[in-house]
Amino acid sequence: MSQPNTRHNSTPGSERLTAMLERMLLIRRTEEQLGADSRAGELPGNVHLCAGQEAIAVGVCNHLSDSDYVGSTHRGHGHFLAKGGSVRSLIAEVHAKSTGACGGLGGSMHVTDLSKGMIGANGIVGGGIGLAAGAALSAQVAGEGQVAVAFFGDGASSQGILPEVFNIAVLWKLPLILVCEYNGYSEFSASSTVNAGEIADRARAFGIPTDVIDGNDVEAVWTSAAIAIERARKGEGPSFIEAKTYRLRGHLEAEDGFLQAPYRSEEEIDQWRARDPIPQLVKRLTEMSAMSDADFEILEAKVAAEVKDALQFANDSEPPEMERVLSSVFVDQLP
Amino acid sequence: MAKMRLTQAINAAYFEEMERNERIVLFGEDVEVSMFGDTRGLHAKFGSNRIRNTPISESAMTGMAVGAAMAGTPAICHLMFSNFALTGFDGIANQAAKLRLMTGGQARLPVTFVAAIGAGTSTGAQHSDTPYPMFMNLGGINIAVPATPADAKGLMKSALRGFNPTIFLLPRVRGATSGEVSEDPDFLVPYGKASVMQEGSDITIVAIGSCVHHAIRAAKALAEDGISVELIDPRTLVPLDTDTIVASVRKTGRLVVVDEARDRCSAASHIAAVVGDEAFSSLKASIKRVTSPNIPMPYAPALERALLPDPDKIVAAARLTLAS
Ligand SMILES: Cc1ncc(C[n+]2csc(CCOP(=O)(O)OP(=O)(O)O)c2C)c(N)n1
Ligand SMILES: [Mg+2]
């Protein structure tokens, strides 16, 4: 039997909310920079931006420490920064520089920082789900109360690996939090055309405690994640969170180059723009009298400076040498 | 004849054959939008019964394509990038490649898997593979790797008229290459028949997929030094036209094989082994392979470029061969 998540009593509080706002803003402004770089033809590869979805990454990862794990997706910049990855290493990686998170060998779809428990963005849809479940297994074996989070999209929910992981995670009571970022689209297909029924019901069928939340409300995300993560830390097994959200940018920045016709209405985009998680959070903090316009401007300036510094850092960095590639294939073989 | 790009030629093949055989279905992720352009317009023409967007479920897609084919409905299963053939590998490797033999020859399997191959645009290691060596090793599946729009059209049309499972790999960075293509509705390119793109007497160069274009440039450079290159594009790796390749090497005595796959167990190494067996006494020098190193593809563009075959590397390999 699946039990619905009961609402957690604790709330994040204004100080924590402010810290989360800063992270969300950092993700947004970093990605705006990368989007502009992409459109200007300054990036070697494509970028998938998560603008509009930042509250999910930040609300969940706010509970995690460096020893917890996050498995991510092709849309992974937000998860990377939310998990504590640095803006410098992110921007440098996407710009294919040796100082990037993966030395310029991975790229946007593979940003990883194992020192922060970020086990990677992933170019294979569904790939991160298996990796996160494996990290949860490792956490269980280590017995130190670590947890693992798998972020994945509504589209990825169609991969067989998801129900396979549901099953194993329940059987083994893995400390795994499965977070479906339901942004309504799988590439250019509306989710309703590629997903039968409710995705959350699939988790419920395995007896996994499940919560369907407003993913654009960082407080709701934070509260739901608090319960799921506590359960995992106590050894009570996996949880499933379906966070409803919307990506404000395209599937990939370059999509206008090949799309023959729009696949989303302007109206729909505008509706969701009005629900942008960042202004919503600013409004909430203002209502709590925890943030003034001046405070917000200071925050914006701080974030802008950080992004500017990171871009400068990336521009000043060298591309990777072939030596790095050749030494990155295997660890030294055992004697 | 009409001038068109490689992806347009494939598109034309789909249109013609789907019109000719109204049982053929095509499905894949976002085939209605068509990121590469090869499936563009099909939905408008043939409708939702025959052209279907699928969820991201490659293991179901490949299995279903095989099942549909067994049940009499020729299926085109579009896998977008060839790396996604790997999340759907069971349908290809355990089912499509094996079922005819296992059923004692009962099963006819008119199934065509389509996917883009190749690196060169910084898509990272999980979107850059050239995995035909893996498919070559499966035993029972045809493999087409067209280099020109005409061959792309003819090979696709043949696959769709035949009853054998086929994996059709389109060279991604060369998708925009244009060339003259026949508009004859019965224009077919046979499987197992190499194309001799240029006759020559000093050295044989066998090149696969996008490497054919590198080899053409290399042959031009070598011609300036008076070296006469015989250039062969096998077009299909299963079946492989070893007769044409071996006959050419018997004539020239020298062979360079160009293949974007990683060197270890590549198409190039297989071709070299066959030629070593069958034309040993004609060889005047050891066979050279121009391939990619045995590592995943890095993201940084300069590194990617340095690792891939290119005309200079082919010229260098040819000169080495000619020097001995
Ligand atoms: C195995 C695999 N199949 C297909 C793709 C191509 N692809 C990349 S993203 C994507 C859509 C993913 O949708 P969703 O999981 O909802 O994530 P979103 O892009 O909406 O964040 C597809 C089909 C892929 N990268 N990997
Ligand atoms: Mg989605």
Side-chain angles (χ1 to χ4, degrees):
Chain A
M1 267 288 290
S2 89
Q3 61 266 62
N5 272 343
T6 43
R7 280 274 158 236
H8 206 258
N9 289 334
S10 73
T11 49
S14 66
E15 214 167 294
R16 198 182 276 272
L17 282 175
T18 307
M20 290 199 278
L21 174 63
E22 182 174 341
R23 268 289 126 173
M24 287 163 62
L25 208 54
L26 184 65
I27 297 169
R28 178 70 58 91
R29 300 294 175 243
T30 299
E31 286 207 319
E32 281 170 356
Q33 181 62 52
L34 292 173
D37 296 344
S38 171
R39 291 186 301 278
E42 286 165 12
L43 298 180
N46 276 319
V47 284
H48 305 83
L49 305 184
C50 72
Q53 308 185 180
E54 298 91 341
I56 305 169
V58 170
V60 172
C61 292
N62 187 262
H63 297 281
L64 305 178
S65 71
D66 290 353
S67 59
D68 297 314
Y69 301 103
V70 160
S72 167
T73 69
H74 55 286
R75 202 175 300 289
H77 302 156
H79 306 133
F80 180 91
L81 293 176
K83 194 64 176 62
S86 88
V87 196
R88 280 185 165 199
S89 73
L90 176 67
I91 294 188
E93 182 62 29
V94 180
H95 277 264
K97 295 301 177 73
S98 57
T99 52
C102 308
L105 307 189
S108 164
M109 271 197 292
H110 303 285
V111 290
T112 303
D113 186 346
L114 291 180
S115 73
K116 299 287 181 191
M118 166 59 177
I119 63 175
N122 209 300
I124 297 301
V125 169
I129 300 170
L131 300 185
L137 169 65
S138 173
Q140 187 177 58
V141 171
E144 288 167 6
Q146 299 155 280
V147 302
V149 175
F151 289 107
F152 53 94
D154 43 341
S157 303
S158 302
Q159 288 286 34
I161 193 168
L162 185 64
E164 292 176 28
V165 161
F166 282 161
N167 191 42
I168 294 176
V170 170
L171 288 171
W172 295 359
K173 281 197 165 184
L174 293 180
L176 178 66
I177 299 93
L178 294 142
V179 181
C180 178
E181 299 179 316
Y182 189 106
N183 61 12
Y185 286 86
S186 173
E187 282 187 358
F188 316 105
S189 294
S191 199
S192 59
T193 66
V194 288
N195 272 305
E198 295 296 321
I199 295 169
D201 284 341
R202 303 181 197 173
R204 291 190 185 106
F206 287 83
I208 299 176
T210 293
D211 203 7
V212 180
I213 59 170
D214 176 0
N216 283 21
D217 176 352
V218 76
E219 275 186 281
V221 175
W222 189 92
T223 307
S224 182
I227 301 164
I229 291 168
E230 190 179 299
R231 183 183 294 126
R233 290 209 199 282
K234 287 200 299 206
E236 293 171 6
S239 304
F240 181 90
I241 297 170
E242 182 177 320
K244 303 281 193 192
T245 186
Y246 197 78
R247 61 169 158 72
L248 294 172
R249 303 290 314 167
H251 169 63
L252 58 145
E253 279 301 282
E255 71 186 29
D256 290 341
F258 58 81
L259 285 176
Q260 308 283 93
Y263 58 98
R264 314 191 291 184
S265 70
E266 283 302 323
E267 231 184 328
E268 179 184 287
I269 299 171
D270 285 344
Q271 270 169 19
W272 279 93
R273 204 169 273 138
R275 299 185 47 195
D276 186 328
I278 292 176
Q280 283 200 92
L281 178 52
V282 174
K283 185 160 169 267
R284 173 90 175 104
L285 282 164
T286 312
E287 283 164 6
M288 293 166 88
S289 307
M291 177 162 289
S292 65
D293 287 355
D295 293 337
F296 184 64
E297 270 170 37
I298 292 169
L299 200 63
E300 276 277 23
K302 185 180 168 202
V303 165
E306 210 173 327
V307 174
K308 193 172 167 218
D309 160 78
L311 185 64
Q312 190 61 49
F313 171 78
N315 286 337
D316 292 344
S317 298
E318 295 297 323
E321 304 276 348
M322 191 59 82
E323 186 45 42
R324 174 81 187 257
V325 176
L326 302 176
S327 65
S328 294
V329 183
F330 292 108
V331 175
D332 288 345
Q333 311 279 2
L334 288 176
Chain B
M1 296 293 257
K3 200 171 167 74
M4 58 179 80
R5 290 181 280 118
L6 194 142
T7 42
Q8 290 173 318
I10 297 171
N11 185 255
Y14 294 148
F15 266 98
E16 290 175 16
E17 293 308 306
M18 290 191 77
E19 227 163 322
R20 185 174 176 275
N21 178 353
E22 58 183 35
R23 278 301 285 277
I24 299 176
V25 297
L26 180 149
F27 55 80
E29 294 151 25
D30 279 313
V31 290
E32 288 179 34
V33 163
S34 190
M35 198 143 33
F36 301 136
D38 61 322
T39 58
R40 195 159 290 158
L42 293 172
H43 183 259
K45 166 90 181 173
F46 298 106
S48 301
N49 196 37
R50 297 179 65 195
I51 307 295
R52 303 187 187 207
N53 273 355
T54 63
I56 313 172
S57 302
E58 289 90 4
S59 54
M61 287 153 60
T62 57
M64 286 175 69
V66 177
M70 277 181 97
T73 295
I76 305 168
C77 175
H78 202 296
L79 291 162
M80 203 181 317
F81 286 88
S82 62
N83 285 78
F84 313 154
L86 305 182
T87 47
F89 209 37
D90 178 66
I92 298 169
N94 287 324
Q95 312 302 337
K98 311 259 162 59
L99 276 168
R100 181 159 171 85
L101 180 128
M102 290 190 300
T103 59
Q106 293 177 70
R108 284 176 151 204
L109 298 163
V111 50
T112 305
F113 301 102
V114 182
I117 53 171
T121 56
S122 284
T123 44
Q126 291 174 339
H127 287 66
S128 298
D129 279 341
T130 297
Y132 44 67
M134 238 182 285
F135 306 133
M136 287 172 75
N137 199 251
L138 294 176
I141 188 161
N142 282 341
I143 305 169
V145 193
T148 67
D151 285 345
K153 185 177 181 194
L155 289 167
M156 179 59 83
K157 284 171 70 78
S158 295
L160 298 181
R161 289 193 189 186
F163 294 93
N164 288 310
T166 302
I167 183 146
F168 189 98
L169 301 168
L170 62 119
R172 190 158 52 93
V173 286
R174 288 285 167 185
T177 305
S178 51
E180 293 294 332
V181 178
S182 168
E183 288 171 295
D184 176 354
D186 289 319
F187 167 70
L188 301 174
V189 170
Y191 279 60
K193 185 82 197 74
S195 155
V196 180
M197 305 203 54
Q198 171 182 318
E199 288 189 25
S201 53
D202 296 329
I203 182 169
T204 302
I205 298 181
V206 173
I208 300 159
S210 61
C211 290
V212 169
H213 302 276
H214 298 315
I216 291 170
R217 286 170 59 192
K220 276 199 189 114
L222 290 163
E224 282 167 20
D225 290 348
I227 298 159
S228 161
V229 172
E230 180 139 304
L231 175 56
I232 298 176
D233 171 6
R235 303 194 288 194
T236 62
L237 295 172
V238 176
L240 179 64
D241 182 2
T242 52
D243 288 353
T244 297
I245 297 169
V246 167
S248 174
V249 177
R250 287 210 176 109
K251 180 174 75 176
T252 63
R254 295 184 157 86
L255 175 63
V256 172
V257 194
V258 194
D259 173 3
E260 189 179 317
R262 281 180 277 276
D263 186 65
R264 192 184 296 133
C265 303
S266 56
S269 62
H270 173 68
I271 291 168
V274 170
V275 170
D277 268 355
E278 297 186 19
F280 184 74
S281 58
S282 309
L283 283 170
K284 298 175 193 152
S286 69
I287 300 165
K288 294 285 171 234
R289 303 185 303 276
V290 180
T291 50
S292 296
N294 296 313
I295 58 174
M297 195 49 71
Y299 169 68
L303 297 177
E304 195 178 29
R305 267 196 307 277
L307 293 169
L308 291 168
D310 63 24
D312 289 345
K313 288 180 188 170
I314 301 170
V315 168
R319 288 197 199 291
L320 260 181
T321 312
L322 288 155
S324 54

